[in-house]
Amino acid sequence: MAARALLLASLVLSCFLLPACYGTVLFSSLQRTLEVTASPTSGQVLKGGVDKITVTWGLNQTVAAGTDSTYKTIKVKLCYAPISQVDRGWRKTVDNLKKDRTCQHKIVARPYNPANSTAQSHEWTVERDVPTATYFVRAYAYDADEKEVAYGQTTDAHKTTNLFQVQAISGRHVTMDTCSICFSVFSVVSLFGFFYNEKRRAKRPQ
């Protein structure tokens, strides 16, 4: 009885100590097996809703054969660089990928193709709602259970190289601004015209 109780206690403790018992994946547990490149040059500024990014990804050819045997899907994401995470808890990097807020903007998701593991690409227009910030691109490989099993990114491990910026749209349009100015001028002119006519009428002999 004591032995069974000890075994049960050990199993329960293991589930608390091992995130895998809860299906949790830690970023630190993933291997960097994907090669990822993106078209923006270091320091380049892209405009939301206008500019495009071409992303290319594939399996690093130096890894052992069969490394990608569990890969089923590749998801490519736009991720915040550390400089754009400072004092912004909603962008915080957390080792637990379920809680991680580094990569919030989906670029593309595709089935993994082992027969073409060295060259897959996608052209993506930077969405209008992407906030102004500094970014890099990361790709995750997922298994059949939709769990992250590997990754690759366009920057180094410290996320300090090959970074680029996105400038969000202001929400205003040149045509709208022009119409607003014209309407304001028309309103002022109409107001002066009204007062001028009223003044002339007041001066007319009764």
Side-chain angles (χ1 to χ4, degrees):
M1 181 67 72
R4 294 178 64 181
L6 180 60
L7 178 60
L8 180 60
S10 299
L11 290 174
V12 172
L13 181 61
S14 297
C15 284
F16 278 106
L17 295 178
L18 297 178
C21 291
Y22 294 95
T24 299
V25 179
L26 303 181
F27 181 77
S28 58
S29 71
L30 302 182
Q31 289 185 315
R32 184 170 178 172
T33 62
L34 301 177
E35 288 289 339
V36 183
T37 61
S39 55
T41 58
S42 181
Q44 183 176 351
V45 179
L46 306 177
K47 293 183 179 180
V50 177
D51 292 324
K52 298 180 179 181
I53 297 175
T54 299
V55 182
T56 302
W57 65 91
L59 184 68
N60 188 320
Q61 296 304 294
T62 64
V63 301
T67 299
D68 59 345
S69 61
T70 60
Y71 300 0
K72 299 301 181 183
T73 308
I74 300 294
K75 295 183 181 181
V76 184
K77 302 180 180 183
L78 187 65
C79 310
Y80 292 108
I83 192 173
S84 292
Q85 293 175 297
V86 178
D87 297 327
R88 294 174 174 88
W90 60 93
R91 300 177 182 176
K92 185 178 180 181
T93 294
V94 180
D95 196 31
N96 182 342
L97 288 177
K98 285 188 175 180
K99 299 179 180 180
D100 182 47
R101 303 296 294 166
T102 306
C103 305
Q104 300 183 29
H105 307 283
K106 176 183 174 181
I107 294 179
V108 67
R110 283 188 184 174
Y112 182 73
N113 183 6
N116 188 26
S117 61
T118 60
Q120 298 186 55
S121 63
H122 176 75
E123 186 179 71
W124 179 70
T125 300
V126 180
E127 296 177 352
R128 296 165 63 91
D129 60 350
V130 172
T132 296
T134 301
Y135 295 92
F136 64 94
V137 175
R138 177 181 290 167
Y140 285 106
Y142 290 77
D143 64 13
D145 295 323
E146 280 293 304
K147 293 180 181 178
E148 299 90 339
V149 291
Y151 81 102
Q153 59 190 29
T154 57
T155 186
D156 64 342
H158 299 290
K159 299 176 288 187
T160 58
T161 61
N162 299 325
L163 305 177
F164 57 90
Q165 299 177 30
V166 170
Q167 183 178 22
I169 60 173
S170 64
R172 298 178 65 88
H173 194 278
V174 175
T175 303
M176 293 180 62
D177 288 341
T178 302
C179 291
S180 178
I181 292 172
C182 291
F183 182 77
S184 297
V185 172
F186 175 78
S187 298
V188 172
V189 172
S190 298
L191 186 62
F192 275 111
F194 173 78
F195 282 116
Y196 177 75
N197 288 332
E198 288 297 314
K199 189 174 183 180
R200 288 186 61 187
R201 288 179 182 177
K203 288 183 178 181
R204 288 178 183 176
Q206 299 295 324

